[in-house]
Amino acid sequence: MVPVQLVLAVAMALLVQARPKFLSGHFYLWTIPLAVSELAAGLVWLSVFDSRGYLNSLLVSWGVSDTGVQWLTYTNTGTMLLAVVIAEIWRATSLVFVIVVAGIQMVPKDFDEAAQVFGASAWQRLWHVTLPQLKPSLQVALILRTILALQAFAVAQALTGRDFPLLVGETYQWYVNLQNPAVASAAALVVLALSLATALFYLRTMRQQEAAK
């Protein structure tokens, strides 16, 4: 999910920077998911992907399927994963978007204008001017979003229940349902170790790139 969210967030931030018509409408529309809890987001997408949900209703009405698709059944792990990924992308991309928008406001316009004077294309300006200036914001967004992705639970729980196990979900299962705090603590430590290792990896990679330059 994280690379897709970064690409979408940068694209949305560049569109906002271009100041299209109804700019405030675009901004508020994309940040609405920030006000929605994880569980509520899962229930919203459950109404879409359920066997009697909106998506199957459209498929049946259009004649694409006679009975609809069982998106969330445990036998269709691919569609189940797809549903969880789509729900998480909708819910959490707005967080990355806000961070990138804040960072893109700090990029001096003089650099982009100078690149235009020297004949750089839009893609060259994005790759060689905008993205390098956005690196601190992208680093923060990447670390934060990856850590939060490792803690994803409520969306998958609302959509699939126990059919789509996650690390944090296993922690909940062992602590609440199986009444085994020791195993739950061990699973939580795994999440903590992965989060720390990921953050250190990102920071070291960024630092090595800066040193290479």
Side-chain angles (χ1 to χ4, degrees):
M1 296 181 300
V2 177
V4 175
Q5 289 175 325
L6 281 175
V7 172
L8 287 175
V10 171
M12 291 154 59
L14 291 174
L15 181 59
V16 168
Q17 188 186 37
R19 299 191 176 279
K21 292 183 178 180
F22 311 110
L23 172 61
S24 59
H26 284 283
F27 188 83
Y28 288 120
L29 180 64
W30 290 335
T31 53
I32 282 175
L34 281 176
V36 180
S37 68
E38 291 186 41
L39 183 58
L43 294 175
V44 167
W45 284 97
L46 179 62
S47 67
V48 175
F49 287 107
D50 190 61
S51 59
R52 297 183 178 180
Y54 296 116
L55 182 55
N56 276 338
S57 298
L58 286 176
L59 294 178
V60 172
S61 64
W62 291 344
V64 177
S65 174
D66 294 332
T67 59
V69 179
Q70 300 299 315
W71 302 97
L72 302 177
T73 181
Y74 69 93
T75 57
N76 293 341
T77 54
T79 58
M80 187 187 301
L81 174 62
L82 178 65
V84 174
V85 167
I86 290 175
E88 270 292 308
I89 288 176
W90 176 82
R91 185 191 67 83
T93 301
S94 55
L95 174 63
V96 185
F97 166 66
V98 170
I99 296 174
V100 175
V101 165
I104 210 169
Q105 303 303 314
M106 305 300 294
V107 176
K109 294 183 178 179
D110 297 344
F111 294 170
D112 187 70
E113 293 172 354
Q116 291 185 50
V117 170
F118 284 101
S121 63
W123 173 255
Q124 289 174 328
R125 297 200 308 272
L126 171 64
W127 191 255
H128 296 290
V129 177
T130 305
L131 289 182
Q133 296 293 321
L134 275 178
K135 188 172 290 185
S137 298
L138 292 176
Q139 178 178 315
V140 172
L142 188 61
I143 293 174
L144 182 60
R145 185 63 202 110
T146 303
I147 291 174
L148 292 177
L150 289 170
Q151 300 173 8
F153 168 59
V155 170
Q157 184 76 10
L159 280 170
T160 66
R162 285 281 298 153
D163 292 332
F164 190 78
L166 296 168
L167 279 175
V168 178
E170 292 301 304
T171 304
Y172 175 85
Q173 175 73 8
W174 280 100
Y175 187 81
V176 176
N177 296 331
L178 300 178
Q179 300 291 311
N180 194 328
V183 178
S185 299
L189 286 175
V190 171
V191 177
L192 175 62
L194 287 174
S195 300
L196 289 174
T198 302
L200 290 174
F201 171 76
Y202 287 148
L203 290 172
R204 174 165 292 188
T205 301
M206 295 287 186
R207 189 173 301 170
Q208 289 175 347
Q209 291 177 354
E210 291 291 335
K213 293 180 180 180

